[in-house]
Amino acid sequence: MEFITHAIFKWLHIIAGITWIGLLYFFNWINGHVAATLDADSKKKIIPELLPRALYFFRWGAAWTWITGLILLQVVFYHGGLTFEDPDLSGFGTGALVMIAVTFLGVFLYDILYKSSLASNVRVVTMVSFVLIGVVVYLMKDWAGFSYRSFNIHIGTMFGTIMAFNVWFRIWPAQQSIITSIKNGEAPDGDLLALAGLRSKHNTYMSVPLIWTMINQHTTHFSGGNLGIPSDYSWLVLLVVVALGWHIVWQLYKKSGQVKGF
């Protein structure tokens, strides 16, 4: 029965994730550039028809990716015994419970950080974010005792929780107001445009490392003992993937601005 649950929800998780992340890339690398070429009348006709449809699948893709991910986390890790490095550990100690709480509540620290004055300095706030991620990964491994696969998937869950929060509580409410303004022939609120664009960009940057964590059962040769990587430093591999993923997204943003229509 557990095997069937795992198979079905992994299938649903991937379908929902493809829908969500595919539309995320469409919004960030295609739609924005196309919308910039439209005149006011064209925007008034096209955007109220296009975006509500796209945002429907976008936000529900996000919701179902998150929900099915939670079910898989329970089935594969908490119930399946893959949470801890030591296979003899069956209970959750203080460290594990705290880091699980960080996994799901870290979104509120993220939201506070990016509402603060520090967020105006992109370089500094990015460095702060990266250091915080490093601290969390390290504590998951060395304090909570999470296994390689476990601290990978918990960081992925933290990213996914932040991304789903952005979709439902930052991007979607802002877009409702923006679309209504465009439909009425009014100028959208600049602050809402900036908020929706920034949080969508954050989601794009988090998505590439997130996908790594989703397939981390296939990356266990980085967990230590192989490729000359000591197991005590296997947590650094994930930080390299985060940094590399962010760089890949940055390059794709640059490329998206160079692609032209006919």
Side-chain angles (χ1 to χ4, degrees), residues 150-196:
S150 183
F151 68 70
N152 268 267
I153 204 62
H154 279 86
I155 288 295
T157 302
M158 185 175 73
F159 282 178
T161 300
I162 293 171
M163 291 167 66
F165 171 88
N166 277 339
V167 169
W168 278 93
F169 298 102
R170 296 294 178 258
I171 297 170
W172 171 234
Q175 285 290 356
Q176 286 178 289
S177 177
I178 292 166
I179 294 167
T180 301
S181 295
I182 292 172
K183 183 177 181 180
N184 294 335
E186 302 168 354
D189 186 317
D191 290 339
L192 291 179
L193 282 169
L195 174 63

Side-chain angles (χ1 to χ4, degrees), residues 20-21 23-25 27-29 33 58 110 114 119 122 125-126 159 162-163 166-167 170-171 175 192-209 245-254 256:
W20 178 18
I21 302 302
L23 283 167
L24 176 67
Y25 295 160
F27 287 137
N28 281 270
W29 296 333
H33 296 297
F58 178 66
Y110 156 83
Y114 280 93
V122 176
V125 78
T126 300
F159 282 178
I162 293 171
M163 291 167 66
N166 277 339
V167 169
R170 296 294 178 258
I171 297 170
Q175 285 290 356
L192 291 179
L193 282 169
L195 174 63
L198 179 65
R199 295 307 178 92
S200 186
K201 181 173 284 190
H202 288 174
N203 279 11
T204 306
Y205 273 95
M206 283 185 279
S207 68
V208 175
W246 288 358
H247 180 72
I248 290 170
V249 173
W250 181 68
Q251 291 291 347
L252 288 170
Y253 266 109
K254 288 173 59 180
S256 71

Side-chain angles (χ1 to χ4, degrees), residues 2-16 64-65 67-73 75:
E2 183 178 317
F3 173 78
I4 295 174
T5 302
H6 182 191
I8 290 174
F9 280 95
K10 179 172 280 190
W11 182 46
L12 294 174
H13 187 61
I14 292 171
I15 292 171
W64 282 108
T65 303
I67 291 167
T68 54
L70 289 188
I71 294 171
L72 288 171
L73 187 65
V75 171

Side-chain angles (χ1 to χ4, degrees), residues 255-262:
K255 182 62 178 178
S256 71
Q258 299 167 0
V259 179
K260 305 295 181 184
F262 292 115

